[in-house]
Amino acid sequence: MGQPWKTDKYFVSPLNYLEEVTKEYKLPQKVKIHDITLRDGEQETGVALRKDDKIRIAEALAEAGIHRIEAGMPAVSKQDADAIREIVKRNLGPEIFGFCRCILDDVKLAADCGVSGVVIEIPSSEHIIKYAYQWPLEKAIDLSVQVTRYAHEMGLYVVFFTIDATRADFNWLLQIIEKVASEGHMDALTLVDTMGVASMGAIRYYVRNMKKRLGKPLEAHFHNDFGLANANSLAAVEEGAEVIHSTVLGMGERAGQASTEQIALALKLLYGMDTGVKLEKLAGLTRTVAELTGHVTPLNQPVAGYAMYQIESGIPAAWWLRCKDEHPTEVFGILPSLIGQKEPEIVLGKGSGADSVLYWLRKIGMDATPEQALDIAMLVKEKAMEKKGLVDEDEFRQIATEYLAAAK
């Protein structure tokens, strides 16, 4: 296998591949990404995708090699159902799923849209059934059995989705799941941390014991309220989960979900799992989704942030200038070309040093001594502080021109 932690495109930690680290993993032979941007991502406050928007996002997901697309919940609106039908009709490559409540009419509508599978949700913690749904507990079980069996009879791949499972009493949860598995139908079970409140250790325990008790393929659907959605999804894969539910840019309700682009990158670089996702398409995918949803992407967000490969601080800038031609991964563990990002750029700001100034002087056709570069760097810092931001080329040219003219 050579050195899976290092290529000409990336350089991650060799510790990821130590036997002492990996010996307890129960990695599946392959992992699928089940992208839920068009359903759970759209549940982010203020996001409303039209039919054409959904089709464009589905096309971008397909182009990136995403395995499954949850195209939406057809019961939401006629436009949503029409979008799902059109996405199915285009035969883009990925499997197309619909999301359904545990209601027969929802499943029938999804089947009419032509999807190959459905994710069927049911509340699974006793307290949420009692207080949020105000159902008798038996209703959750009876509906689950009835509707999952019906979906199977309709020829659909059935993924059973247990709302609020991580806060449920484990024995009660098993009652629902085992009854559905034996009396209804379940091709796969989604383990759901609806409120994003489980630790990585809890997720490992959860997946390990559910796998042991159920013997069904497991899928991971984790929210990000503690910033652990990605980590928990990967922990689930370490215990054998075969599918990760995620959204582009980590969009979704409250703090969002696991991030499609970050998960795809981590599976390949940190675990050596070639999912078939085209990593070089990821940044473009995030830009498409951001444009169509209006989602505000942090400048430093992994994969997507446009400032990821801007270098302001003096020491990293000096490193880059020394290493960029022969040893670029010494400065960037993931090169931008791997994920479709723009090339690294030295920018000028409060953190800039003399090496950055000399680089920029050469770039605009000017020259200075090292001592003069230090003085210009101080002027750049002052300008950056004044405007509370980066110094652009015109501003730098003016600073350098005035300083060098005065120094003659």
Side-chain angles (χ1 to χ4, degrees):
M1 195 174 180
Q3 294 184 332
W5 58 87
K6 184 178 182 182
T7 70
D8 62 344
K9 296 285 189 182
Y10 62 87
F11 186 177
V12 298
S13 174
L15 299 177
N16 296 318
Y17 292 90
L18 287 178
E19 185 180 355
E20 292 92 331
V21 172
T22 63
K23 65 181 179 181
E24 301 298 329
Y25 289 175
K26 302 174 183 68
L27 299 175
Q29 287 191 330
K30 61 181 179 179
V31 175
K32 289 183 176 181
I33 292 178
H34 175 105
D35 186 89
I36 54 176
T37 305
L38 298 179
R39 198 271 305 174
D40 228 327
E42 193 184 17
Q43 289 178 212
E44 181 166 302
T45 301
V47 175
L49 294 171
R50 299 185 180 95
K51 175 182 174 181
D52 289 347
D53 299 331
K54 293 200 167 198
I55 292 167
R56 279 185 63 192
I57 291 172
E59 288 172 340
L61 289 165
E63 187 178 348
I66 300 302
H67 313 98
R68 278 194 202 164
I69 299 172
E70 191 175 293
M73 188 172 179
V76 166
S77 70
K78 181 180 184 302
Q79 190 176 85
D80 281 69
D82 288 345
I84 295 168
R85 287 191 185 93
E86 183 61 28
I87 290 168
V88 170
K89 180 181 173 183
R90 295 196 177 205
N91 195 25
L92 299 172
E95 302 169 272
I96 307 300
F97 276 58
F99 190 85
C100 303
R101 297 164 297 179
C102 215
I103 297 174
L104 292 174
D105 284 347
D106 276 24
V107 173
K108 183 178 186 306
L109 183 54
D112 289 345
C113 288
V115 298
S116 59
V118 285
V119 178
I120 299 176
E121 68 169 358
I122 198 73
S124 65
S125 63
E126 294 170 282
H127 44 86
I128 207 167
I129 294 170
K130 180 178 179 181
Y131 298 119
Y133 285 78
Q134 298 185 341
W135 289 355
L137 297 179
E138 297 75 19
K139 181 175 180 179
I141 295 177
D142 293 344
L143 276 176
S144 300
V145 169
Q146 180 187 14
V147 177
T148 57
R149 185 192 300 143
Y150 176 71
H152 177 61
E153 290 167 356
M154 296 289 284
L156 298 166
Y157 186 89
V158 180
V159 179
F160 189 51
F161 184 98
T162 49
I163 300 171
D164 201 30
T166 60
R167 298 194 304 176
D169 175 83
F170 202 75
N171 290 327
W172 160 255
L173 179 64
L174 282 170
Q175 281 184 53
I176 297 180
I177 292 169
E178 290 177 343
K179 187 132 185 173
V180 171
S182 61
E183 298 181 21
H185 185 83
M186 183 192 308
D187 291 302
L189 172 70
T190 304
L191 308 174
V192 187
D193 187 17
T194 302
M195 303 301 169
V197 291
S199 69
M200 288 177 284
I203 292 299
R204 288 191 177 96
Y205 172 87
Y206 183 12
V207 175
R208 187 183 313 127
N209 282 279
M210 199 61 72
K211 192 173 181 67
K212 189 185 305 180
R213 290 288 294 269
L214 190 63
K216 293 280 186 182
L218 300 180
E219 308 192 359
H221 180 111
F222 303 141
H223 286 249
N224 201 39
D225 296 66
F226 277 85
L228 292 174
N230 285 349
N232 281 345
S233 296
L234 295 171
V237 168
E238 289 175 8
E239 289 293 338
E242 299 173 24
V243 177
I244 296 175
H245 293 206
S246 58
T247 60
V248 177
L249 297 168
M251 292 180 63
E253 287 188 90
R254 303 187 319 277
Q257 317 272 153
S259 161
T260 294
E261 66 276 8
Q262 294 173 33
I263 288 291
L265 190 63
L267 288 171
K268 172 62 177 172
L269 273 59
L270 305 185
Y271 293 83
M273 302 185 76
D274 189 352
T275 62
V277 172
K278 299 169 185 174
L279 302 183
E280 71 278 7
K281 300 290 187 180
L282 293 179
L285 171 62
T286 65
R287 288 191 290 270
T288 296
V289 171
E291 173 194 340
L292 294 174
T293 61
H295 178 87
V296 178
T297 305
L299 306 185
N300 63 344
Q301 182 159 319
V303 181
Y306 81 75
M308 267 193 68
Y309 293 96
Q310 289 183 340
I311 316 166
E312 179 186 343
S313 298
I315 292 174
W319 291 351
W320 178 245
L321 291 169
R322 294 169 195 152
C323 296
K324 64 185 180 68
D325 295 326
E326 295 184 16
H327 306 286
T329 57
E330 293 300 319
V331 184
F332 291 106
I334 305 163
L335 293 190
S337 58
L338 180 68
I339 54 175
Q341 268 275 21
K342 62 182 181 180
E343 289 304 302
E345 173 189 16
I346 292 176
V347 296
L348 295 168
K350 182 185 175 185
S352 297
D355 285 316
S356 297
V357 166
L358 288 168
Y359 166 80
W360 266 93
L361 286 169
R362 289 191 296 271
K363 186 173 179 179
I364 64 174
M366 300 177 74
D367 196 14
T369 66
E371 293 76 15
Q372 290 172 327
L374 279 172
D375 290 341
I376 295 171
M378 295 308 296
L379 294 171
V380 167
K381 292 173 187 288
E382 290 174 13
K383 183 65 176 177
M385 288 290 286
E386 175 191 322
K387 65 182 293 191
K388 298 189 75 172
L390 296 178
V391 175
D392 64 30
E393 182 174 337
D394 289 340
E395 291 166 334
F396 176 72
R397 186 185 300 274
Q398 182 178 351
I399 291 168
T401 300
E402 290 176 357
Y403 172 84
L404 293 172
K408 286 182 178 179

